[in-house]
């Protein structure tokens, strides 16, 4: 059933990592907590059970824009859903409640503040509520950045219902503190907790240090015409400045920050979402609850205050899973600006001096890690994942450093010695002891274990320790070595170790070139901004699978305009008719897929990812006609 619904309503053939487990858990009646990065597909994890369970699913969601968007998307997919929040007039609200009372909706989005409202409670108690799904569940935690006190009252609401529904919660925040808070404060009962990896493979990461930032950003936009993206600035003033210049330079840009009137903010946000102004220039006030799936780039005009913020903001790119780019334009001034923010932070007024000093220290520490990101020669993705406590594989092949700073080296000798050391010491020691031994360290432990007597002691004294670690980790990934998963992390040989110990195998790996990228050096490298500004251009990076490459391929002999552009125009036309954002009609990914499949019949069209029965009924023929025209 769940498989069928996935295809019928959402047009997808396969579940993504984690989705099926969560859905099964929920369907079996268990509470659930899903922790997945932005764009991983959390919504489907509660939407599909909502369709299968009989009764109503209430989705608690913090933002009006988010609800509107989700409900719009569900209605487009042929699913009856509604939202109840303060954007409705009281007449509209009554009407919606009335329809809901007649059982018209299987999914109802509701603002947390509404839950304990008498009218709503009466309604909820008179219906069968099969599940309460809490979206953006980290809002319940005071540790997070988006604390919403009304989230704390969700359990009280659940307690008032005649029988306890399944409670599911979803968030993209990974830290253990927040995770524990969600379980405790939402009173989840023996929940199935599922966290997927935080890597977003479709995102390219880059750092640039251009001499003139504005010119670099402008060049980037010129190289990516028609694409939608966000440019984050550190201050409101910078937003006004950059947005103004872009508009004068002829770009369809708009802006967003907390200093604007509500009215303008709302209008600008809509212009962005509906692709009327595909480029949004904003402070970090913009983005939470922005579900736009076709954001192709997130540029940072200045370095944010920490990696958490950076990854969250950058993560708004490429939610559709298609290639997208995240580029940070760094300038030395950014550190100073951020330091000032920390010194003058007024968010912690209620704290005593001691706690405030602690918070400041923590913030300074985070800023330092963020600054290192701008200067590291290592894989940028790996740097971020390590920051969140995940192990990447040192080389991702899709970040600026991997593409420009890495070299392939022969590490056979290092591998032989590391393995030799493990073998001759009886596979008894952890990674640190093994590395210290070959490096020839003279620590108490080494002497205590007599590793200074080991034949390989000091045999790699010239190789820096961090390199030895990288090689060891690489060997582990290639299964030439194994490391026990307990706290001791003992290094063991594997079935493959022989190949190296026998000298039969050459081991090659990629690592970052040895050289410190100083700010001056980086600036020099980025001279002549027009070209260097585009994180990609010269670096020989993999061609993006997305539309630029495809577009030219599919430009048939006759049509000057590539198919993708034609489909995009048709999508815009339909979006206007339906008054929904274009990406809700079909995502960029779906259009790209259509360009590849070039379906001729309904059956073929239904194989395209993102085309379900219902949407086919509405727009399928029009897209088929466009594709036929192109042949
Ligand atoms: P999240 O809430 O986790 O940030 P969404 O639920 O908005 O992510 O999903 C992101 C995008 O991925 C949406 O466009 C959604 O339709 C798409 N998606 C979700 N599940 C699948 C799937 N199984 N196959 C293909 N695309 C999917
Ligand atoms: Zn990388």
């Amino acid at each position: 059933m769940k498989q069928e619904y996935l295809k019928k309503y959402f047009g997808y053939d396969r579940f993504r990592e984690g989705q099926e487990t969560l859905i099964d858990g929920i369907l079996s009646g268990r509470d659930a907590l899903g922790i997945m990065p932005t764009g991983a597909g959390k919504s489907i994890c509660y939407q599909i059970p909502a369709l299968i369970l009989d009764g109503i699913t209430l989705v608690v969601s913090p933002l009006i824009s988010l609800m509107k968007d989700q409900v719009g998307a569900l209605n487009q997919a042929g699913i009856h859903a509604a939202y109840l929040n303060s954007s409705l007039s009281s007449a509209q609200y009554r009407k919606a409640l009335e329809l809901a009372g007649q059982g018209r909706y299987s999914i109802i989005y509701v603002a947390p503040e509404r839950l304990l409202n008498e009218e709503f409670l009466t309604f909820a108690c008179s219906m069968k509520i099969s599940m309460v799904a809490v979206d953006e569940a980290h809002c319940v935690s005071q540790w997070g950045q988006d604390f919403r006190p009304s989230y704390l009252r969700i359990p009280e609401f659940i307690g008032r219902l005649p029988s306890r529904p399944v409670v599911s919660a979803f968030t993209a925040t990974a830290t253990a503190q927040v995770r524990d808070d969600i379980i405790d404060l939402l009173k989840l009962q023996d929940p199935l907790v599922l966290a997927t990896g935080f890597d977003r493979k479709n995102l390219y990461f880059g750092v640039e240090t251009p001499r003139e930032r504005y010119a670099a950003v402008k060049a980037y936009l010129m190289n990516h015409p028609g694409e939608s993206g966000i440019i984050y600035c550190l201050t409101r003033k910078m937003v006004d400045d950059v947005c103004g210049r872009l508009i004068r330079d002829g770009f369809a840009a708009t802006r967003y920050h907390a200093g604007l009137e509500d009215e303008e903010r709302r209008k600008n946000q809509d212009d962005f979402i509906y692709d009327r102004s595909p480029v949004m220039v904003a402070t970090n006030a913009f983005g939470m609850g922005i579900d736009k799936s076709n954001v192709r780039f997130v540029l940072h005009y200045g370095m944010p205050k920490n990696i958490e913020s950076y990854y969250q903001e950058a993560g708004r790119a490429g939610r559709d899973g298609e290639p997208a780019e995240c580029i940070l334009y760094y300038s030395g001034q950014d550190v100073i600006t951020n330091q000032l923010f920390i010194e003058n932070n007024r968010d912690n007024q209620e704290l005593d001096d001691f706690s405030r000093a602690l918070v400041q220290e923590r913030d300074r520490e985070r800023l330092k890690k963020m600054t290192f990101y701008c200067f590291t020669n290592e894989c940028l993705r790996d740097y971020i994942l390590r920051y969140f406590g995940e192990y990447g594989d040192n080389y991702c092949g899709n970040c600026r450093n991997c593409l420009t700073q890495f070299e392939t080296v022969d590490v056979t000798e290092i591998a032989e010695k590391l393995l030799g050391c493990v073998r001759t010491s009886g596979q008894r020691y952890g990674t640190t002891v093994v590395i210290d031994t070959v490096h020839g360290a003279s620590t108490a432990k080494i002497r205590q274990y007599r590793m200074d007597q080991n034949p390989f002691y000091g045999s790699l004294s010239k190789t820096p320790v961090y390199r030895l670690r990288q090689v060891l980790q690489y060997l582990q990934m290639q299964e030439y070595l194994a490391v026990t998963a307990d706290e001791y992390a003992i290094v063991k040989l594997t079935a493959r170790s022989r190949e190296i110990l026998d000298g039969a195998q050459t081991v090659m790996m990629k690592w970052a070139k040895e050289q410190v990228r100083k700010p001056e050096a980086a600036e020099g490298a980025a001279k002549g901004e027009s070209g260097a500004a585009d994180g990609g251009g010269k670096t020989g990076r993999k061609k993006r699978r997305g539309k630029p490459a495809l577009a030219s391929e599919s430009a048939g002999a006759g049509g000057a305009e590539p198919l993708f552009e034609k489909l995009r125009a048709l999508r815009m036309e339909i979006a206007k008719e339906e008054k929904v954002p274009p990406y809700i009609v079909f995502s960029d990914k779906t259009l790209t897929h259509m360009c590849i499949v070039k379906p001729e019949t309904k059956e073929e069209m239904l194989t395209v990812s993102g085309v379900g029965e219902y949407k086919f009924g509405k727009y399928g023929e029009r897209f088929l006609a466009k594709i036929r025209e192109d042949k």
Side-chain angles (χ1 to χ4, degrees):
M1 188 114 117
K2 57 178 194 261
Q3 200 75 40
E4 222 172 274
Y5 280 22
L6 182 69
K7 184 69 195 161
K8 178 166 166 210
Y9 290 110
F10 301 96
Y12 302 132
D13 290 320
R14 244 163 275 107
F15 282 105
R16 290 204 187 134
E17 188 192 348
Q19 286 179 329
E20 202 162 9
T21 316
L22 280 166
I23 292 173
D24 288 343
I26 291 171
L27 289 177
S28 76
R30 206 169 153 196
D31 283 2
L33 169 57
I35 304 163
M36 300 174 172
T38 309
K42 287 183 280 296
S43 332
I44 278 181
C45 300
Y46 58 81
Q47 287 166 348
I48 287 189
L51 294 172
I52 296 177
L53 295 168
D54 68 345
I56 297 174
T57 288
L58 295 176
V59 183
V60 182
S61 175
L63 288 177
I64 290 172
S65 61
L66 198 75
M67 294 189 211
K68 213 173 118 189
D69 223 49
Q70 294 260 5
V71 168
L74 287 170
N75 290 338
Q76 283 295 312
I79 296 168
H80 292 298
Y83 56 83
L84 298 172
N85 60 38
S86 58
S87 75
L88 301 178
S89 67
S90 59
Q92 286 173 321
Y93 181 74
R94 292 251 154 67
K95 182 77 195 159
L97 264 193
E98 186 190 317
L99 287 171
Q102 294 161 9
R104 178 167 170 84
Y105 308 118
S106 46
I107 305 181
I108 299 175
Y109 283 74
V110 56
E113 292 79 14
R114 289 265 145 180
L115 292 171
L116 293 167
N117 153 301
E118 276 314 316
E119 206 176 358
F120 182 76
L121 259 179
T122 314
F123 153 75
C125 289
S126 70
M127 303 297 290
K128 178 171 163 52
I129 306 295
S130 44
M131 171 162 67
V132 172
V134 183
D135 203 8
E136 311 285 351
H138 59 278
C139 290
V140 79
S141 169
Q142 307 194 38
W143 290 104
Q145 303 188 348
D146 310 310
F147 175 53
R148 287 281 289 257
S150 52
Y151 262 60
L152 292 170
R153 307 193 63 187
I154 295 173
E156 188 183 337
F157 165 75
I158 293 171
R160 303 267 297 260
L161 296 173
S163 66
R164 187 181 186 277
V166 176
V167 182
S168 58
F170 300 88
T171 180
T173 305
T175 66
Q177 251 166 357
V178 172
R179 181 183 317 195
D180 293 346
D181 266 6
I182 293 174
I183 296 176
D184 290 348
L185 299 172
L186 292 179
K187 300 199 165 52
L188 300 184
Q189 296 178 0
D190 177 34
L192 168 75
V193 179
L194 188 134
T196 61
F198 266 66
D199 190 10
R200 301 271 314 276
K201 293 198 167 42
N202 61 318
L203 301 186
Y204 163 87
F205 288 95
V207 176
E208 309 276 331
T209 315
R211 207 179 292 262
E212 224 276 278
R213 257 198 296 219
Y214 179 75
V217 166
K218 185 176 155 191
Y220 184 93
L221 295 186
M222 302 224 300
N223 284 325
H224 298 82
E227 291 187 10
S228 179
I230 307 174
I231 302 171
Y232 277 109
C233 301
L234 295 187
T235 62
R236 297 175 191 180
K237 193 171 157 297
M238 240 192 256
V239 167
D240 294 341
D241 179 45
V242 172
C243 184
R245 288 173 79 176
L246 286 176
I247 290 172
R248 259 173 275 133
D249 282 333
F251 295 98
T254 184
R255 63 182 179 157
Y256 190 104
H257 60 65
L260 302 175
E261 298 288 326
D262 281 359
E263 174 106 17
E264 182 182 352
R265 265 203 312 227
R266 203 169 316 127
K267 178 181 174 302
N268 293 354
Q269 174 168 329
D270 272 2
D271 283 349
F272 174 67
I273 287 178
Y274 286 77
D275 279 341
R276 292 186 290 262
S277 306
V279 177
M280 171 58 89
V281 187
T283 60
N284 61 6
F286 179 75
M288 160 98 134
I290 300 296
D291 245 348
K292 197 172 196 284
S293 75
N294 65 334
V295 175
R296 294 270 67 88
F297 58 83
V298 171
L299 309 183
H300 274 78
Y301 199 93
M303 177 185 73
K305 62 178 186 287
N306 56 40
I307 300 266
E308 285 88 344
S309 310
Y310 181 65
Y311 202 52
Q312 187 175 46
E313 287 158 19
R316 294 190 175 119
R319 289 175 77 115
D320 52 12
E322 285 294 284
E325 302 193 329
C326 310
I327 300 172
L328 196 166
Y329 294 94
Y330 173 83
S331 136
Q333 179 62 33
D334 299 342
V335 180
I336 299 165
T337 308
N338 275 300
Q339 264 159 358
L340 286 174
F341 284 154
I342 295 175
E343 307 313 323
N344 301 321
N345 186 353
R346 299 264 165 274
D347 290 348
N348 303 307
Q349 296 285 14
E350 78 285 12
L351 295 181
D352 57 78
D353 289 351
F354 179 70
S355 313
R356 193 164 329 123
L358 276 182
V359 169
Q360 281 197 351
E361 196 176 305
R362 181 197 71 186
D363 289 349
R364 274 192 216 103
E365 197 51 42
R366 290 181 176 175
L367 175 59
K368 206 154 75 186
K369 299 244 171 69
M370 182 73 241
T371 313
F372 286 164
Y373 173 81
C374 299
F375 290 100
T376 181
N377 278 316
E378 301 293 328
C379 169
L380 292 172
R381 181 185 315 277
D382 207 53
Y383 184 94
I384 295 173
L385 292 177
R386 257 184 289 128
Y387 181 86
F388 290 116
E390 260 183 49
Y391 288 97
D393 36 17
N394 175 52
Y395 174 86
C396 78
N398 189 25
C399 78
R400 186 178 196 278
N401 288 356
C402 283
L403 292 164
T404 60
Q405 312 272 333
F406 274 62
E407 56 190 353
T408 305
V409 275
D410 184 335
V411 294
T412 312
E413 189 195 332
I414 301 179
E416 282 169 1
K417 289 179 172 159
L418 283 169
L419 263 68
C421 174
V422 173
R423 187 175 59 88
T424 52
S425 58
Q427 308 183 49
R428 268 181 300 163
Y429 300 113
T431 49
T432 310
V433 169
V434 171
I435 286 171
D436 281 353
T437 302
V438 295
H439 193 63
S442 172
T443 65
K445 231 182 195 168
I446 293 290
R447 288 192 300 272
Q448 184 196 337
Y449 296 155
R450 307 235 164 146
M451 287 299 274
D452 47 359
Q453 316 281 319
N454 183 281
F456 293 92
Y457 180 76
S459 61
L460 291 169
S461 58
K462 294 217 170 58
T463 313
V465 169
Y466 76 94
R467 287 290 192 215
L468 296 174
R469 280 207 176 277
Q470 280 174 355
V471 177
L472 191 94
Q473 207 188 332
Y474 181 75
L475 292 172
Q476 188 189 340
M477 267 170 352
Q478 302 298 313
E479 297 184 348
Y480 288 119
L481 276 180
V483 176
T484 60
D486 55 29
E487 60 190 296
Y488 306 108
I490 309 284
V491 191
K492 303 270 186 194
L493 298 180
T494 65
R496 288 197 74 184
S497 300
R498 276 253 75 83
E499 298 170 30
I500 291 180
L501 289 167
D502 290 349
Q505 180 68 47
T506 322
V507 187
M508 306 292 283
M509 72 175 272
K510 285 186 189 269
W511 71 27
K513 282 183 201 155
E514 200 73 58
Q515 59 165 327
V516 197
R517 185 152 59 99
K518 294 202 195 75
E520 305 85 67
E523 208 158 348
K527 73 172 187 301
E529 284 183 341
S530 43
D534 176 358
K538 306 187 163 172
T539 57
R541 172 156 72 80
K542 276 190 293 210
K543 259 235 144 132
R544 276 168 47 166
R545 282 181 297 114
K547 76 190 97 90
L550 256 173
S552 49
E553 282 160 28
S554 58
E561 215 184 347
L563 180 57
F564 185 90
E565 293 307 324
K566 289 185 188 163
L567 298 182
R568 183 150 78 166
L570 173 60
R571 175 174 74 174
M572 182 57 116
E573 195 180 307
I574 293 173
K576 281 188 181 144
E577 292 163 16
E578 300 270 326
K579 299 196 173 38
V580 295
Y583 65 92
I584 282 191
V585 176
F586 282 130
S587 68
D588 277 11
K589 188 187 180 111
T590 300
L591 296 192
T592 305
H593 203 175
M594 277 185 207
C595 294
I596 299 171
V597 178
K598 295 216 177 86
E600 291 180 19
T601 62
K602 175 175 176 184
E603 283 62 43
E604 286 172 11
M605 187 60 119
L606 285 173
T607 67
V608 172
S609 170
V611 184
E613 279 283 348
Y614 188 81
K615 277 197 184 171
F616 181 86
K618 284 181 94 164
Y619 326 118
E621 288 301 340
R622 288 170 75 178
F623 279 89
L624 278 177
K626 242 325 152 235
I627 294 166
R628 230 172 277 133
E629 232 173 64
D630 197 62
K631 290 223 158 123

